[in-house]
Amino acid sequence: MHEPHLDRRLFLKGTVATGATLALGTAAAPTATAAPAGFPDYTYVRTLLTPSKLSYNPTGEIIFPTVRGVYDKLATRLGRYYLYYAPHDAPGGICLAYGDSLEGPFTEYPNNPIVANKWQPHYSVSHVSSPHVLWNADAKELWLYFHGENTTTRLARSTDGIHFTYDKVVLSTSMLPAGTTETSYARVFRHDLPSRGARYVMVFMLNNTTNHRDIHWGWSPDGRNWTFDQKPLIRHGDVGAVNVGGPHLLHRNNSTYVVYNKDKQSGGDIMITEVGNDFTLRNHLGVFYNSRSSAPENGRAAAPSFGTDHGVPYMIYEAGERLAGSIALARA
């Protein structure tokens, strides 16, 4: 099912561009309470993936979900929706689950991980994790951005969303200021910046010798070759956090926003900052999603991924303590 063009453009520019817009055949949208910048409030619905129920479960934890609608992109597919995720700790491994409804059930791909921590002759690392998958309409491929080690983000490409061909390193600590120790948890979006000759934007987490994590960003003409701002896009101290991470780009009301999570010590909520279409604004708008104290969130929600169907918004995210949680679903 294809969505009306208006719904797709109004809610999430980044989601549409990456193929994440989700068509579920849902009825008319429920009325949503206004959140910052006119975004809807989200309510937890259910857990989608729990580590203890997965066959590939080397570490008892999973993180960083990305959902992509592939029903109108892949001629041969396992389901209408592909959900990518990964354990973080060694050996990690990029994993896939698939289903015909965003609200589940999702079936674990039997040959996980689809990308492992050793890929000769390209790399051999302790772990790979944080999969973000972009539908690249120019190449008509699914492009997978993932980290391993925490210092390096890589790109692999696929025509079926399951079997990937290695491309290259796209981000590393050597590309950022001296003292940078981590550049990871990257998400990439189709976003035009004519003044920079760019058609893609990357948002990611950076750590340095102060051991406080900030959100940084970069831009690219092709999704492969990148230029990175040497200054933070969102500083942890600007929003009262020890660490911020898990960024995602959203577009609404002709402006662009970054949503991201605070560490649990700083509240564990998902926050929102308006950066504008040219990334010159820094309007910190507060809490985008307030994590609940009850299970499965237990005071922490993180690393959101988004989609919408006929105006009904959905959020898929990490719920629970870092490295001890599950993948959950919320909707407006």
Side-chain angles (χ1 to χ4, degrees):
M1 179 184 298
H2 295 277
E3 291 187 304
H5 180 73
L6 182 61
D7 288 337
R8 299 178 73 164
R9 297 301 298 178
L10 280 181
F11 185 66
L12 297 179
K13 180 179 178 183
T15 295
V16 173
T18 58
T21 301
L22 305 159
L24 304 179
T26 308
T31 300
T33 304
F39 285 94
D41 282 340
Y42 290 86
T43 302
Y44 167 77
V45 177
R46 63 176 54 88
T47 298
L48 296 177
L49 295 175
T50 302
S52 62
K53 298 180 180 179
L54 298 172
S55 296
Y56 180 75
N57 179 27
T59 57
E61 45 86 21
I62 52 175
I63 66 166
F64 214 79
T66 298
V67 171
R68 292 292 172 257
V70 297
Y71 56 89
D72 59 349
K73 305 202 170 39
L74 304 179
T76 302
R77 53 191 178 270
L78 300 173
R80 290 171 61 81
Y81 309 102
Y82 282 7
L83 172 56
Y84 297 89
Y85 62 97
H88 179 270
D89 285 353
I94 308 305
C95 296
L96 170 67
Y98 57 91
D100 289 323
S101 169
L102 180 60
E103 298 202 22
F106 279 89
T107 300
E108 180 183 8
Y109 181 64
N111 297 319
N112 280 334
I114 58 174
V115 173
N117 64 322
K118 293 178 172 55
W119 193 343
Q120 299 300 334
H122 308 298
Y123 62 78
S124 178
V125 294
S126 71
H127 77 288
V128 290
S129 194
S130 72
H132 177 81
V133 176
L134 163 80
W135 171 251
N136 188 304
D138 298 327
K140 293 183 170 53
E141 295 175 337
L142 289 161
W143 285 23
L144 166 66
Y145 298 85
F146 63 103
H147 83 248
E149 308 292 352
N150 290 342
T151 59
T152 306
T153 294
R154 307 172 192 273
L155 169 63
R157 301 163 61 170
S158 174
T159 57
D160 66 4
I162 301 171
H163 305 94
F164 284 84
T165 299
Y166 185 82
D167 192 325
K168 61 182 293 188
V169 171
V170 294
L171 168 64
S172 71
T173 52
S174 64
M175 301 174 184
L176 278 299
T180 299
T181 58
E182 299 176 35
T183 46
S184 53
Y185 301 99
R187 293 193 190 272
V188 173
F189 302 89
R190 179 75 173 81
H191 183 94
D192 289 331
L193 290 170
S195 65
R196 299 178 185 267
R199 301 176 69 233
Y200 297 88
V201 164
M202 178 190 294
V203 286
F204 61 96
M205 186 198 77
L206 181 146
N207 193 15
N208 57 32
T209 52
T210 68
N211 202 30
H212 291 282
R213 292 162 178 85
D214 296 323
I215 305 301
H216 277 246
W217 77 294
W219 54 93
S220 169
D222 57 8
R224 297 183 68 246
N225 302 290
W226 292 86
T227 301
F228 298 104
D229 195 333
Q230 301 298 292
K231 297 179 181 178
L233 180 65
I234 300 166
R235 301 175 188 272
H236 65 279
D238 291 344
V239 294
V242 176
N243 297 298
V244 290
H248 193 292
L249 206 65
L250 301 183
H251 185 86
R252 194 175 183 90
N253 298 328
N254 197 34
S255 192
T256 301
Y257 304 80
V258 179
V259 293
Y260 51 94
N261 59 271
K262 287 184 175 183
D263 58 288
K264 185 175 180 179
Q265 177 184 342
S266 304
D269 298 325
I270 297 175
M271 312 298 289
I272 181 169
T273 294
E274 182 181 12
V275 296
N277 294 334
D278 60 0
F279 281 67
T280 59
L281 300 180
R282 298 295 184 270
N283 294 333
H284 304 302
L285 301 176
V287 174
F288 180 85
Y289 179 81
N290 197 328
S291 62
R292 306 173 309 153
S293 59
S294 58
E297 291 172 4
N298 297 318
R300 180 180 178 271
S305 181
F306 294 87
T308 185
D309 168 49
H310 295 93
V312 180
Y314 294 89
M315 180 175 73
I316 303 93
Y317 62 105
E318 293 177 28
E321 295 274 2
R322 184 176 181 273
L323 306 185
S326 58
I327 304 303
L329 173 75
R331 68 174 175 232

